[in-house]
Amino acid sequence: MGPLLLSRGVVDRSAALRGDEEWLRRVWADEATRVLLVHEGETLVRSRGAEASLALMSPAQAPEGPRYLLGVDAGGVPYFAVKAPFGSGAPAPDAYGAPMGLRQAGALLDDRDAGLFVYAVALEAWHAGHEHCPRCGSRTEIASSGHMRICPGDGSQHFPRVDPAVIMLVRDDDDRVLLARGPQWPQGRMSVLAGFVEPGESLEQAVLREVLEEVGVVAADPRYMGSQPWPFPRSLMLGFFARALTTELRPDADEIAEARWWTRDELGAAVRSGELGLPSQVSIARRLIETWYGSRIDGD
Ligand SMILES: [Zn+2]
């Protein structure tokens, strides 16, 4: 089924260049340098049917705003993100594309563009949530081409954070899959279980704890599947399969509105009839379910 859709980046991150002021000045003056705008999780995307590409611009066309170096590709082209509202640069944004979020564009973009977009969104979200020093409360300043914030009060350095979250497909010994619906979700939409890793806990322990907490099922044998960034605002989703040792469901009412076991036939029929909606194509949840199912599942 190929790589996870938000784990496809191919541009070298070029960390050593983030502090190279001379190089940064030179490439910012070069019109071959490519810039994407990012604003509140969206960027400008040009769509052509089922395909799409980022609407990239030269530094001269980019509006003022915080600048993040995203890396340099194999052809030597540097890529930056600039955080700025669309339409604040020149020419008009409709010459470039339409604002789109990762959930929508993630499946349409090619490897390079999907990787640049998810990286820019993740950095933007980190900056938005870390404007003040956790030690002294001073307002921190952006540094290292957007990869660090420095506190002018005490000189402390702060680096982008990700929150590890486990997401797990639980199956029983009859090879049925466990899906559940959160209290905020619409009727008919279900997914696999997920939760944040807690301090002092391994990924495997988090998998088994979350399954027990959320639906009362004792699980075992967590097996890693893969990971992808989920910058809403800063999760790293770590996908697992696990085996249920018990099958009685006792959902935690605060977290789970409904949970049930599905056979392949039941799940396929329910999706086809529209009775069951699955998580989006860009999610690792969808990939876990399709891996268990044995093929892509059509329908949303
Ligand atoms: Zn401070």
Side-chain angles (χ1 to χ4, degrees):
M1 279 188 244
L4 290 156
L5 288 171
L6 300 184
S7 298
R8 295 182 290 145
V10 293
V11 172
D12 186 285
R13 293 189 169 221
S14 309
L17 294 170
R18 291 170 190 163
D20 187 336
E21 297 300 333
E22 190 189 323
W23 180 84
L24 290 164
R25 256 195 308 277
R26 181 158 47 82
V27 299
W28 195 252
D30 184 345
E31 68 174 27
T33 294
R34 301 286 84 190
V35 180
L36 69 96
L37 301 187
V38 59
H39 186 63
E40 295 177 355
E42 294 189 319
T43 194
L44 297 173
V45 174
R46 248 189 238 112
S47 307
R48 302 177 304 275
E51 290 185 6
S53 59
L54 295 179
L56 299 169
M57 60 192 74
S58 69
Q61 291 172 303
E64 287 296 316
R67 197 184 298 168
Y68 319 141
L69 174 63
L70 301 180
V72 181
D73 73 13
V77 177
Y79 295 87
F80 289 84
V82 168
K83 176 182 168 48
F86 310 128
S88 53
D94 58 1
Y96 285 114
M100 222 182 259
L102 264 181
R103 285 184 175 88
Q104 191 184 357
L108 307 175
L109 297 170
D110 69 10
D111 292 357
R112 183 199 71 174
D113 284 4
L116 291 172
F117 188 14
V118 70
Y119 192 7
V121 168
L123 282 171
E124 184 202 22
W126 175 68
H127 285 288
H130 292 78
E131 292 183 337
H132 294 90
C133 176
R135 299 186 187 179
C136 72
S138 299
R139 194 174 172 84
T140 53
E141 292 165 358
I142 189 167
S144 189
S145 299
H147 295 267
M148 182 170 47
R149 297 187 72 93
I150 295 178
C151 173
D154 57 23
S156 58
Q157 299 178 335
H158 305 276
F159 295 92
R161 293 279 178 252
V162 293
D163 295 338
V166 289
I167 180 161
M168 46 278 171
L169 182 140
V170 179
R171 50 185 149 189
D172 71 3
D173 286 341
D174 296 325
D175 207 18
R176 296 181 303 171
V177 68
L178 174 61
L179 298 184
R181 180 169 69 83
Q184 324 301 339
W185 302 2
Q187 280 287 346
R189 186 159 289 271
M190 298 184 103
S191 185
V192 296
L193 303 177
F196 287 107
V197 180
E198 295 192 344
E201 184 176 54
S202 71
L203 301 178
E204 292 83 355
Q205 288 171 323
V207 167
L208 304 184
R209 173 183 54 76
E210 284 286 345
V211 175
L212 186 62
E213 281 179 5
E214 292 194 343
V215 292
V217 165
V218 178
D221 222 2
R223 297 287 170 89
Y224 179 67
M225 185 275 275
S227 70
Q228 76 170 355
W230 196 246
F232 310 111
R234 61 179 165 275
S235 297
L236 174 65
M237 305 303 298
L238 299 134
F240 283 82
F241 294 99
R243 190 164 64 88
L245 300 181
T246 64
T247 55
E248 188 198 342
L249 299 174
R250 287 179 284 105
D252 172 351
D254 291 337
E255 296 199 58
I256 303 293
E258 179 189 2
R260 64 161 280 189
W261 295 100
W262 298 81
T263 66
R264 271 187 196 74
D265 287 348
E266 287 168 348
L267 184 129
V271 171
R272 280 191 298 275
S273 73
E275 175 202 336
L276 176 64
L278 294 178
S280 91
Q281 294 284 354
V282 300
S283 68
I284 196 167
R286 180 65 165 254
R287 179 62 63 88
L288 285 162
I289 293 167
E290 291 185 339
T291 302
W292 162 81
Y293 190 77
S295 70
R296 294 284 296 269
I297 305 170
D298 290 330
D300 195 24

